[in-house]
Amino acid sequence: MSNNNEELDKLFDFFRVIDKEKFIGRQTYLTGAGRKENDAEHAWHMAVMTILLSKYSNEKIDVLKTVSMLLIHDLVEIYAGDTYAYDEKGKETQAEREKEAADRLYGMLPEDMGEYLKNLWLEFEEQKTPEARFARTMDHIQPLMLNAATEGKSWEEHGIHLHQVLERNKNTHLGSEELWDYAYNNFILPNAENGHLIND
Amino acid sequence: MSNNNEELDKLFDFFRVIDKEKFIGRQTYLTGAGRKENDAEHAWHMAVMTILLSKYSNEKIDVLKTVSMLLIHDLVEIYAGDTYAYDEKGKETQAEREKEAADRLYGMLPEDMGEYLKNLWLEFEEQKTPEARFARTMDHIQPLMLNAATEGKSWEEHGIHLHQVLERNKNTHLGSEELWDYAYNNFILPNAENGHLIND
């Protein structure tokens, strides 16, 4: 038996707990619109997108760090639950719930690894680095793409207005002006014009 | 409008196509055993595991390359379908089906990016580099962990024998002796002893 069994026990306990990310539902419909996406699928999709889109970042980014951030940034929802982008009431308590969840979740890991992931999550939340800004751009553009691909099904279900989408995306350009320009012209504007977003 | 629209059109077409990875079912049950895993969830889980387990690799690995390989290595199944680990008949035609799928899928991308991802997939298949060996170890250990966590539900459904699991995992140690040792002792052996795997 290995000397590292205690460390590996902690790591595999963590890997079994994060399996629950696959059960955390989001509001975005997948292409085909047959069902909604879960957090693990969302993270996977953004990670692949980042590998191919990193050159569109406004600032030079460390791709591994950005991908890692995206892969883990929603894990706190395992204990804190998902808060829908346009749920203003839920967002009031979101920060506190997620902070407690991060302590509990990352506390399971060997200290150095727990600190590393918790800091990566905090860095994403604080939006002060190029990697965090690009990751947020991915986090906003991926559901815009799927909403547009499903004729705004989720927007229509929730009666979302154009101004809400624009308010939510007011900083999306900070990660990539080019990708925000593309998303605005291809995913948002056509859906405001055809009525899938309420244009007020 | 951006000058890169043609490139971005190709990239976002690709991102919409790979959304289908979320519908490709695997045989592994998730913890709780309520439903089986899909390819996107599997890739996400292994990518997070790799970020925390890379130090256990037998040889030094480039973590971004390994994570990227794991995130994309099952994409060919969008066109070629999933082949169950113990489906000997399906495995006869698997290589040819997946080669055609790779040409079709990666042919959608701008040439340099398509070549990059296709070569990363081939590198995984050929198992000649440290990154490919460690990725394969992850690809085998992640379902072993979930099968053990669900009391061998998928193994029992398919009447899997211990010797089949050992044959499938004969090279798992090549990526990490320590992780193979841990998986053998914690995920495989107890399930052979308690009868979830048929011990012959």
Side-chain angles (χ1 to χ4, degrees), chain B residues 30-59:
Chain B
L30 301 181
T31 54
R35 70 166 172 89
K36 292 176 179 174
E37 189 174 49
N38 66 55
D39 272 355
E41 295 168 331
H42 169 59
W44 167 79
H45 210 162
M46 292 189 297
V48 178
M49 288 169 67
T50 297
I51 291 165
L52 294 179
L53 292 175
S54 64
K55 70 173 186 177
Y56 289 95
S57 175
N58 292 341
E59 302 158 277

Short mmCIF file of all heavy atoms in Angstrom, two decimals, chain B residues 30-59:
data_model
loop_
_atom_site.label_atom_id
_atom_site.label_comp_id
_atom_site.label_asym_id
_atom_site.label_seq_id
_atom_site.Cartn_x
_atom_site.Cartn_y
_atom_site.Cartn_z
N LEU B 30 -23.80 7.39 -11.96
CA LEU B 30 -23.32 8.45 -11.07
C LEU B 30 -23.57 8.05 -9.62
O LEU B 30 -24.39 7.17 -9.34
CB LEU B 30 -24.07 9.76 -11.38
CG LEU B 30 -23.92 10.27 -12.81
CD1 LEU B 30 -24.69 11.58 -12.98
CD2 LEU B 30 -22.46 10.48 -13.15
N THR B 31 -22.88 8.72 -8.68
CA THR B 31 -23.13 8.46 -7.25
C THR B 31 -24.61 8.68 -6.99
O THR B 31 -25.22 9.61 -7.51
CB THR B 31 -22.31 9.41 -6.36
OG1 THR B 31 -22.57 10.75 -6.74
CG2 THR B 31 -20.82 9.13 -6.48
N GLY B 32 -25.18 7.80 -6.14
CA GLY B 32 -26.62 7.83 -5.93
C GLY B 32 -27.31 6.84 -6.87
O GLY B 32 -28.41 6.38 -6.61
N ALA B 33 -26.61 6.50 -7.98
CA ALA B 33 -27.03 5.46 -8.92
C ALA B 33 -28.37 5.72 -9.58
O ALA B 33 -29.00 4.82 -10.13
CB ALA B 33 -27.01 4.06 -8.26
N GLY B 34 -28.83 6.98 -9.58
CA GLY B 34 -30.12 7.30 -10.16
C GLY B 34 -30.11 7.35 -11.68
O GLY B 34 -31.13 7.12 -12.32
N ARG B 35 -28.98 7.71 -12.23
CA ARG B 35 -28.87 7.71 -13.69
C ARG B 35 -27.41 7.51 -14.09
O ARG B 35 -26.51 7.62 -13.26
CB ARG B 35 -29.42 9.01 -14.30
CG ARG B 35 -28.58 10.25 -14.03
CD ARG B 35 -29.00 11.42 -14.95
NE ARG B 35 -28.33 12.66 -14.56
CZ ARG B 35 -27.15 13.05 -15.05
NH1 ARG B 35 -26.49 12.30 -15.91
NH2 ARG B 35 -26.61 14.20 -14.65
N LYS B 36 -27.20 7.25 -15.39
CA LYS B 36 -25.85 7.04 -15.89
C LYS B 36 -25.22 8.35 -16.34
O LYS B 36 -25.91 9.36 -16.53
CB LYS B 36 -25.89 6.04 -17.05
CG LYS B 36 -26.27 4.63 -16.58
CD LYS B 36 -26.42 3.66 -17.74
CE LYS B 36 -26.77 2.25 -17.20
NZ LYS B 36 -27.08 1.31 -18.30
N GLU B 37 -23.91 8.30 -16.48
CA GLU B 37 -23.13 9.48 -16.82
C GLU B 37 -23.14 9.72 -18.34
O GLU B 37 -23.33 8.79 -19.11
CB GLU B 37 -21.69 9.21 -16.36
CG GLU B 37 -20.75 10.36 -16.44
CD GLU B 37 -19.39 10.01 -15.82
OE1 GLU B 37 -18.82 8.96 -16.14
OE2 GLU B 37 -18.91 10.81 -15.00
N ASN B 38 -22.92 10.98 -18.74
CA ASN B 38 -22.69 11.23 -20.17
C ASN B 38 -21.22 11.65 -20.38
O ASN B 38 -20.49 11.92 -19.43
CB ASN B 38 -23.69 12.24 -20.74
CG ASN B 38 -23.53 13.64 -20.16
OD1 ASN B 38 -22.44 14.22 -20.21
ND2 ASN B 38 -24.61 14.20 -19.62
N ASP B 39 -20.83 11.69 -21.66
CA ASP B 39 -19.43 11.94 -22.00
C ASP B 39 -18.91 13.29 -21.50
O ASP B 39 -17.75 13.41 -21.10
CB ASP B 39 -19.25 11.90 -23.52
CG ASP B 39 -18.97 10.50 -24.05
OD1 ASP B 39 -18.81 9.57 -23.24
OD2 ASP B 39 -18.91 10.34 -25.29
N ALA B 40 -19.75 14.32 -21.55
CA ALA B 40 -19.29 15.65 -21.13
C ALA B 40 -19.03 15.67 -19.62
O ALA B 40 -18.02 16.23 -19.17
CB ALA B 40 -20.33 16.71 -21.51
N GLU B 41 -19.91 15.04 -18.86
CA GLU B 41 -19.73 14.97 -17.41
C GLU B 41 -18.47 14.18 -17.05
O GLU B 41 -17.72 14.54 -16.14
CB GLU B 41 -20.95 14.29 -16.77
CG GLU B 41 -22.22 15.09 -16.93
CD GLU B 41 -23.47 14.31 -16.57
OE1 GLU B 41 -23.48 13.05 -16.72
OE2 GLU B 41 -24.46 14.93 -16.15
N HIS B 42 -18.27 13.09 -17.78
CA HIS B 42 -17.09 12.24 -17.59
C HIS B 42 -15.81 13.04 -17.85
O HIS B 42 -14.86 13.01 -17.05
CB HIS B 42 -17.22 11.05 -18.55
CG HIS B 42 -16.02 10.19 -18.71
ND1 HIS B 42 -15.41 9.51 -17.66
CD2 HIS B 42 -15.30 9.85 -19.83
CE1 HIS B 42 -14.38 8.82 -18.14
NE2 HIS B 42 -14.29 9.01 -19.44
N ALA B 43 -15.79 13.78 -18.94
CA ALA B 43 -14.60 14.57 -19.30
C ALA B 43 -14.35 15.65 -18.25
O ALA B 43 -13.20 15.87 -17.83
CB ALA B 43 -14.80 15.20 -20.68
N TRP B 44 -15.39 16.33 -17.83
CA TRP B 44 -15.25 17.36 -16.80
C TRP B 44 -14.65 16.77 -15.51
O TRP B 44 -13.73 17.33 -14.92
CB TRP B 44 -16.62 17.99 -16.47
CG TRP B 44 -16.59 18.81 -15.24
CD1 TRP B 44 -16.10 20.08 -15.10
CD2 TRP B 44 -16.99 18.40 -13.92
NE1 TRP B 44 -16.20 20.48 -13.79
CE2 TRP B 44 -16.74 19.47 -13.05
CE3 TRP B 44 -17.55 17.22 -13.40
CZ2 TRP B 44 -17.01 19.42 -11.68
CZ3 TRP B 44 -17.82 17.16 -12.05
CH2 TRP B 44 -17.56 18.25 -11.21
N HIS B 45 -15.19 15.62 -15.10
CA HIS B 45 -14.74 15.01 -13.84
C HIS B 45 -13.25 14.65 -13.92
O HIS B 45 -12.47 14.96 -13.01
CB HIS B 45 -15.59 13.75 -13.58
CG HIS B 45 -15.78 13.44 -12.14
ND1 HIS B 45 -16.78 12.60 -11.69
CD2 HIS B 45 -15.12 13.84 -11.02
CE1 HIS B 45 -16.72 12.51 -10.37
NE2 HIS B 45 -15.72 13.24 -9.95
N MET B 46 -12.83 14.06 -15.02
CA MET B 46 -11.43 13.67 -15.17
C MET B 46 -10.51 14.88 -15.25
O MET B 46 -9.36 14.82 -14.81
CB MET B 46 -11.26 12.84 -16.44
CG MET B 46 -11.94 11.49 -16.36
SD MET B 46 -11.48 10.48 -17.78
CE MET B 46 -12.16 11.43 -19.14
N ALA B 47 -11.00 15.97 -15.86
CA ALA B 47 -10.17 17.18 -15.96
C ALA B 47 -9.90 17.74 -14.57
O ALA B 47 -8.76 18.11 -14.24
CB ALA B 47 -10.85 18.21 -16.85
N VAL B 48 -10.93 17.80 -13.73
CA VAL B 48 -10.72 18.28 -12.34
C VAL B 48 -9.78 17.33 -11.60
O VAL B 48 -8.86 17.77 -10.88
CB VAL B 48 -12.06 18.41 -11.58
CG1 VAL B 48 -11.80 18.86 -10.14
CG2 VAL B 48 -12.99 19.39 -12.27
N MET B 49 -9.98 16.03 -11.77
CA MET B 49 -9.11 15.05 -11.11
C MET B 49 -7.65 15.24 -11.52
O MET B 49 -6.74 15.17 -10.69
CB MET B 49 -9.60 13.63 -11.43
CG MET B 49 -10.90 13.28 -10.72
SD MET B 49 -11.69 11.72 -11.30
CE MET B 49 -10.48 10.50 -10.74
N THR B 50 -7.44 15.49 -12.80
CA THR B 50 -6.07 15.65 -13.31
C THR B 50 -5.38 16.86 -12.68
O THR B 50 -4.18 16.80 -12.36
CB THR B 50 -6.10 15.78 -14.85
OG1 THR B 50 -6.62 14.57 -15.38
CG2 THR B 50 -4.71 16.05 -15.41
N ILE B 51 -6.13 17.94 -12.50
CA ILE B 51 -5.55 19.14 -11.89
C ILE B 51 -5.01 18.82 -10.50
O ILE B 51 -3.95 19.30 -10.10
CB ILE B 51 -6.59 20.28 -11.85
CG1 ILE B 51 -6.87 20.76 -13.28
CG2 ILE B 51 -6.14 21.44 -10.96
CD1 ILE B 51 -8.11 21.62 -13.42
N LEU B 52 -5.70 17.96 -9.76
CA LEU B 52 -5.27 17.64 -8.39
C LEU B 52 -4.37 16.41 -8.31
O LEU B 52 -3.67 16.24 -7.31
CB LEU B 52 -6.51 17.44 -7.50
CG LEU B 52 -7.36 18.70 -7.27
CD1 LEU B 52 -8.57 18.38 -6.40
CD2 LEU B 52 -6.55 19.83 -6.64
N LEU B 53 -4.38 15.57 -9.32
CA LEU B 53 -3.63 14.30 -9.22
C LEU B 53 -2.36 14.27 -10.08
O LEU B 53 -1.65 13.26 -10.05
CB LEU B 53 -4.52 13.12 -9.65
CG LEU B 53 -5.70 12.76 -8.74
CD1 LEU B 53 -6.54 11.66 -9.39
CD2 LEU B 53 -5.22 12.31 -7.35
N SER B 54 -2.07 15.34 -10.81
CA SER B 54 -0.96 15.27 -11.77
C SER B 54 0.37 14.90 -11.12
O SER B 54 1.21 14.26 -11.73
CB SER B 54 -0.83 16.59 -12.54
OG SER B 54 -0.50 17.65 -11.66
N LYS B 55 0.55 15.26 -9.84
CA LYS B 55 1.83 14.94 -9.19
C LYS B 55 2.01 13.44 -8.99
O LYS B 55 3.11 12.98 -8.70
CB LYS B 55 1.94 15.67 -7.85
CG LYS B 55 1.01 15.18 -6.76
CD LYS B 55 1.35 15.87 -5.44
CE LYS B 55 0.52 15.30 -4.30
NZ LYS B 55 0.85 15.87 -3.00
N TYR B 56 0.94 12.66 -9.13
CA TYR B 56 1.05 11.22 -9.00
C TYR B 56 1.45 10.53 -10.31
O TYR B 56 1.58 9.31 -10.35
CB TYR B 56 -0.27 10.62 -8.50
CG TYR B 56 -0.55 10.93 -7.05
CD1 TYR B 56 -1.34 12.01 -6.68
CD2 TYR B 56 0.00 10.15 -6.04
CE1 TYR B 56 -1.59 12.31 -5.35
CE2 TYR B 56 -0.24 10.44 -4.70
CZ TYR B 56 -1.03 11.52 -4.37
OH TYR B 56 -1.27 11.80 -3.05
N SER B 57 1.61 11.31 -11.37
CA SER B 57 2.02 10.72 -12.65
C SER B 57 3.40 10.09 -12.53
O SER B 57 4.29 10.63 -11.86
CB SER B 57 2.04 11.81 -13.72
OG SER B 57 2.53 11.29 -14.94
N ASN B 58 3.61 8.95 -13.17
CA ASN B 58 4.94 8.32 -13.17
C ASN B 58 5.99 9.24 -13.78
O ASN B 58 7.13 9.26 -13.34
CB ASN B 58 4.92 7.03 -14.00
CG ASN B 58 4.08 5.94 -13.37
OD1 ASN B 58 3.80 5.97 -12.16
ND2 ASN B 58 3.68 4.96 -14.16
N GLU B 59 5.60 9.94 -14.81
CA GLU B 59 6.53 10.83 -15.53
C GLU B 59 5.98 12.25 -15.45
O GLU B 59 4.77 12.43 -15.32
CB GLU B 59 6.61 10.43 -17.01
CG GLU B 59 7.04 9.00 -17.22
CD GLU B 59 6.60 8.48 -18.59
OE1 GLU B 59 5.44 8.05 -18.73
OE2 GLU B 59 7.42 8.52 -19.52
#
